[in-house]
């Protein structure tokens, strides 16, 4: 959908909880840099039960929505089309409204992970490890399907989670093996480690960082750095942060919603860093 700088358009991020979201900061910075002075981007507290009603009330001025938990799967029956990327992990984090009123669902987390890694010089790896098995882990696995030529080992806390990750591996055609979380320190020697767990979960692993670590992608961004990321950096390893992911996936959202490309990556990153520093 093409947009002119004079168009008054709206976009927003939805989720629950949502007060912490940096998406308004990133998208507004993009609008400023692109000269889209009549565009606005807000945040709304919306849960699964309220989502259908919220969507029905949106008028023609709406360009798109960013979705966070718990809406990424709940929105799927409510859109007219789901991209192949989003369908691969049953998760939509972006809805774009077309001029004829259709709702297009996409997932920018997966290409966002790939782009964030590429920015740090990681184009391809021969093996990788994932810490965790939640929704972000499935997106990480889908990203690894594009760049990892060998085995992926996922470290999880339960057999149920392990079985789920193996199902995702089969669906995404990834050579995956699962291992017990008790052995998660072994993950740290992999060429690429993607930590997808909640804050504090990997703190105990910091002491096990090897002397010459490779690359850590820690999807957290607040608080930052995590203990694991700080230790990793201290030992000279490359660290990709959750802010890197957030910015890169938001870049793709801005491009889809506004029709402008490329989106202003550095302006968005600077705005995100400034907002985090102020917290």
């Amino acid at each position: 959908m093409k947009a002119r700088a004079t168009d008054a358009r709206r976009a927003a991020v939805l989720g629950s909880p949502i007060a912490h979201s940096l998406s308004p900061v990133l998208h507004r910075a993009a609008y400023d840099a692109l000269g889209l002075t009549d565009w606005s981007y807000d945040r709304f507290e919306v849960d699964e039960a309220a989502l259908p009603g919220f969507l029905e009330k949106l008028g023609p001025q709406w360009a798109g929505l960013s979705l966070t938990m718990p809406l990424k799967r709940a929105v799927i029956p409510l859109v007219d089309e789901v991209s192949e990327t989003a369908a691969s992990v049953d998760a939509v984090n972006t809805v774009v409204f077309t001029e004829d009123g259709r709702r297009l669902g996409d997932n920018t987390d997966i290409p966002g992970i790939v782009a964030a890694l590429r920015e740090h010089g990681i184009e391809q790896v021969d093996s990788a490890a994932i810490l965790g098995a939640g929704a972000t882990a499935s997106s990480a696995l889908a990203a690894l399907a594009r760049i990892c030529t060998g085995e992926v080992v996922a470290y999880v806390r339960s057999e149920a989670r392990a079985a789920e990750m193996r199902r995702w591996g089969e669906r995404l055609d990834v050579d995956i093996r699962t291992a017990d979380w008790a052995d998660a320190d072994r993950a740290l020697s992999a060429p690429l480690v993607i930590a997808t767990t909640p804050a504090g979960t990997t703190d105990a692993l910091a002491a096990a960082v090897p002397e010459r670590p490779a690359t850590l992608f820690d999807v957290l961004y607040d608080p930052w750095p995590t203990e694991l990321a700080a230790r990793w950096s201290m030992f000279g390893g490359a660290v990709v942060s959750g802010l890197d992911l957030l910015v890169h996936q938001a870049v793709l959202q801005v491009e889809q919603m506004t029709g402008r490309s490329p989106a202003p990556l550095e302006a968005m990153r600077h705005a995100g860093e400034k907002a985090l520093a102020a917290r």
Side-chain angles (χ1 to χ4, degrees):
M1 176 175 55
K2 298 300 181 183
R4 300 185 304 275
T6 55
D7 288 340
R9 305 303 303 276
R10 294 192 68 183
V13 60
L14 314 182
S16 183
I18 201 62
H20 67 286
S21 176
L22 275 181
S23 292
V25 171
L26 302 182
H27 284 252
R28 290 168 186 170
Y31 298 164
D32 286 345
L34 292 170
L36 297 173
T37 56
D38 291 333
W39 281 63
S40 63
Y41 189 101
D42 303 294
R43 63 164 68 90
F44 293 95
E45 182 85 15
V46 178
D47 61 15
E48 294 165 284
L51 182 60
F54 185 93
L55 290 176
E56 288 303 319
K57 293 178 182 178
L58 299 183
Q61 74 274 29
W62 282 85
L65 297 170
S66 308
L67 301 173
T68 186
M69 299 304 290
L71 305 179
K72 293 184 180 183
R73 288 183 178 158
V75 77
I76 291 176
L78 306 176
V79 298
D80 298 297
E81 182 179 330
V82 176
S83 71
E84 183 177 340
T85 300
S88 72
V89 290
D90 291 336
V92 166
N93 79 327
T94 307
V95 176
V96 175
F97 301 109
T98 65
E99 292 179 352
D100 59 2
R102 299 179 73 238
R103 305 168 180 169
L104 309 182
D106 194 14
N107 185 307
T108 63
D109 286 331
I110 295 167
I113 292 171
V114 174
L117 287 168
R118 183 182 300 119
E119 185 180 39
H120 285 77
I122 308 298
E123 300 274 354
Q124 182 175 296
V125 291
D126 56 16
S127 64
I130 295 176
L131 300 174
T136 305
S138 61
S139 292
L141 196 60
L144 289 172
R146 304 183 180 191
I147 67 167
C148 184
T149 60
E151 184 182 63
V152 176
V153 184
Y155 290 82
V156 301
R157 292 189 180 278
S158 70
E159 177 51 38
R161 289 288 196 177
E164 184 177 4
M165 286 299 286
R166 289 193 293 269
R167 286 193 295 271
W168 281 119
E170 183 176 353
R171 179 170 174 173
L172 295 164
D173 195 24
V174 175
D175 178 13
I176 187 168
R177 176 169 61 87
T178 56
D180 192 274
W181 183 264
D183 297 321
D185 57 333
R186 298 180 183 178
L188 307 186
S189 60
L192 171 62
V193 181
I194 304 182
T196 69
T197 53
T201 307
T202 61
D203 288 356
L205 296 176
V209 173
E211 289 188 6
R212 295 183 180 179
T215 300
L216 170 69
F217 194 154
D218 195 324
V219 302
L220 297 173
Y221 61 84
D222 187 19
W224 185 262
T226 62
E227 288 192 26
L228 181 61
R231 181 87 169 180
W232 201 276
S233 294
M234 187 173 71
F235 277 64
V239 175
V240 186
S241 76
L243 182 61
D244 292 319
L245 167 57
L246 193 66
V247 170
H248 277 282
Q249 65 82 28
V251 159
L252 297 170
Q253 289 183 335
V254 168
E255 291 174 352
Q256 289 189 33
M257 293 178 192
T258 68
R260 299 291 193 88
S261 183
L265 172 68
E266 290 308 321
M268 295 168 71
R269 190 201 314 276
H270 177 71
E273 291 172 344
K274 184 177 179 181
L276 284 177
R279 288 187 176 182

